[in-house]
Amino acid sequence: MTFGRSGAASVVLNVGGARYSLSRELLKDFPLRRVSRLHGCRSERDVLEVCDDYDRERNEYFFDRHSEAFGFILLYVRGHGKLRFAPRMCELSFYNEMIYWGLEGAHLEYCCQRRLDDRMSDTYTFYSAEEPGALGRDEVRPGGAEAAPSRRWLERMRRTFEEPTSSLAAQILASVSVVFVIVSMVVLCASTLPDWRAAAADNRSLDDRSRIIEAICIGWFTAECIVRFIVSRNKCEFVKRPLNIIDLLAITPYYISVLMTVFTGENSQLQRAGVTLRVLRMMRIFWVIKLARHFIGLQTLGLTLKRCYREMVMLLVFICVAMAIFSALSQLLEHGLDLETSNKDFASIPAACWWVIISMTTVGYGDMYPITVPGRILGGVCVVSGIVLLALPITFIYHSFVQCYHELKFRSARYSRSLSAEFLN
């Protein structure tokens, strides 16, 4: 440190009245970028660009900021817990403190990130860095004042593959991935057409071309998955994510089918192996779920199901209870009371369950229906009850869907702002 009282072994940080003593060596590599910048200050003017005031006699630097918020941030960067909002403090104010000290929203716990996104979407608030590079996504990380170039490169790569709207390169990469998904789906659907299979049987080159296209698509998906795994921050968390599990389920069957083809032969007499190959090839339909990584609509659906699992379970319980009651009553009225003129479609309660479920959902295929007057009255009650029971939890699910959509749309808008800045630069 080239500025400050000579001979002093430590410096004092005064944040809103709370004083913290730090050694000069600790100050050099302090995780918060604003604090670590004090080590490179050569004049009082440089110091005042970082802090609000300076007392040379006490070697004390004054920051007119929220002391309680700084205490939470300091505990986090020292590794004594996870970063959450300070009690009785506005989320936006705490986020403003994080920006000032050199952190970003990604350092918050997931529950607090959701709270912040909801609050910012309600107020349409955007924060920008106070100076160039102060909030660079690749620069600030707890554990050092300046991230190593290799870590910055890994972070940029991670955002490119994980966040399609974070940069122009990410959008190009996402577009290419979507094209591969569409091509693979078209080839899969075409391969089930009778005309295609007849043409492939007569023309071996057509089947070979489809296999080459499939291999190219699988190669792209495999390379994408490997790169995303390499640049991920937490490898265990990466493996546990639902979309990554779906990617693995979509890729693995291809390699298993190739190995089975090598060991058993394409025209093997082992019928079981042939059925297994067809099942594995049909599992490629999971590729279409990869589109959820690039489209807000599918992400909204997944996030809504995740947050509304209680309502979904409640809806399922409603249907099961009603199905048990109406199926037993319909079987009794249509088959159990008069065996001579009984309705054979309602011979058992499990058979009546099918009629109950299609009636409650107002589908009504017409393949089975009650013929007695009591049975028809019960059918009307069943239909009305199904409408009411299905409508009760739908309101909660609808509001959650709207909230999830606005949240994801707002996150996408934030990344689009950084994309626009990158494009202009």
Side-chain angles (χ1 to χ4, degrees), residues 65 95 135 148 153 163 182 220 290 405:
R65 309 300 299 186
Y95 184 51
L135 265 183
W153 180 81
E163 298 164 359
I182 294 175
W220 171 267
K290 289 173 65 67
Y405 175 74

Side-chain angles (χ1 to χ4, degrees), residues 174-195:
S175 301
V176 174
S177 182
V178 169
V179 170
F180 275 106
V181 171
I182 294 175
V183 170
S184 62
M185 287 296 100
V186 170
V187 173
L188 175 63
C189 295
S191 63
T192 60
L193 294 174
D195 295 339

Side-chain angles (χ1 to χ4, degrees), residues 155-228:
E155 180 65 18
R156 182 175 291 273
M157 287 289 293
R158 186 192 69 80
R159 290 188 176 275
T160 301
F161 279 87
E162 294 286 351
E163 298 164 359
T165 58
S166 61
S167 65
L168 186 61
Q171 286 196 350
I172 296 175
L173 190 68
S175 301
V176 174
S177 182
V178 169
V179 170
F180 275 106
V181 171
I182 294 175
V183 170
S184 62
M185 287 296 100
V186 170
V187 173
L188 175 63
C189 295
S191 63
T192 60
L193 294 174
D195 295 339
W196 176 283
R197 283 181 288 185
D202 297 337
N203 188 2
R204 186 68 181 177
S205 62
L206 180 62
D207 187 54
D208 293 338
R209 292 193 192 111
S210 65
R211 291 178 181 273
I212 292 174
I213 295 175
E214 179 184 359
I216 293 174
C217 294
I218 283 290
W220 171 267
F221 297 146
T222 304
E224 182 184 9
C225 190
I226 292 174
V227 172
R228 289 176 48 249

Side-chain angles (χ1 to χ4, degrees), residues 204-397:
R204 186 68 181 177
S205 62
L206 180 62
D207 187 54
D208 293 338
R209 292 193 192 111
S210 65
R211 291 178 181 273
I212 292 174
I213 295 175
E214 179 184 359
I216 293 174
C217 294
I218 283 290
W220 171 267
F221 297 146
T222 304
E224 182 184 9
C225 190
I226 292 174
V227 172
R228 289 176 48 249
F229 176 78
I230 292 174
V231 301
S232 62
R233 294 175 181 172
N234 190 327
K235 302 298 187 291
C236 295
E237 183 181 351
F238 176 87
V239 176
K240 295 177 182 178
R241 291 177 182 173
L243 284 179
N244 297 331
I245 295 175
I246 292 173
D247 289 345
L248 188 63
L249 291 176
I251 294 173
T252 305
Y254 174 80
Y255 294 103
I256 296 178
S257 63
V258 169
L259 292 176
M260 293 187 65
T261 302
V262 171
F263 288 113
T264 64
E266 184 67 25
N267 299 317
S268 174
Q269 296 180 355
L270 298 176
Q271 185 66 24
R272 182 176 300 176
V275 172
T276 305
L277 282 175
R278 289 193 292 271
V279 172
L280 290 175
R281 287 175 179 173
M282 194 54 61
M283 287 183 67
R284 289 179 294 175
I285 198 66
F286 282 112
W287 290 348
V288 75
I289 306 181
K290 289 173 65 67
L291 295 175
R293 201 179 297 277
H294 313 296
F295 292 100
I296 293 180
L298 293 176
Q299 295 175 15
T300 305
L301 178 61
L303 187 58
T304 303
L305 294 177
K306 179 181 178 181
R307 294 184 181 178
C308 295
Y309 71 93
R310 291 186 180 89
E311 288 78 6
M312 300 298 293
V313 171
M314 181 172 59
L315 179 62
L316 183 62
V317 170
F318 287 168
I319 294 177
C320 290
V321 171
M323 188 167 58
I325 295 174
F326 285 114
S327 60
L329 292 176
S330 61
Q331 192 274 339
L332 176 64
L333 296 176
E334 292 293 314
H335 186 80
L337 295 181
D338 190 355
L339 298 179
E340 294 182 359
T341 61
S342 61
N343 191 342
K344 301 300 181 182
D345 293 333
F346 294 82
S348 63
I349 291 180
C353 285
W354 168 249
W355 170 79
V356 172
I357 191 65
I358 63 175
S359 298
M360 292 184 65
T361 55
T362 66
V363 176
Y365 288 116
D367 54 343
M368 56 188 299
Y369 50 86
I371 57 177
T372 64
V373 174
R376 291 177 178 177
I377 295 175
L378 179 68
V381 176
C382 178
V383 172
V384 175
S385 301
I387 295 175
V388 175
L389 292 178
L390 292 175
L392 289 177
I394 292 298
T395 304
F396 300 100
I397 298 174

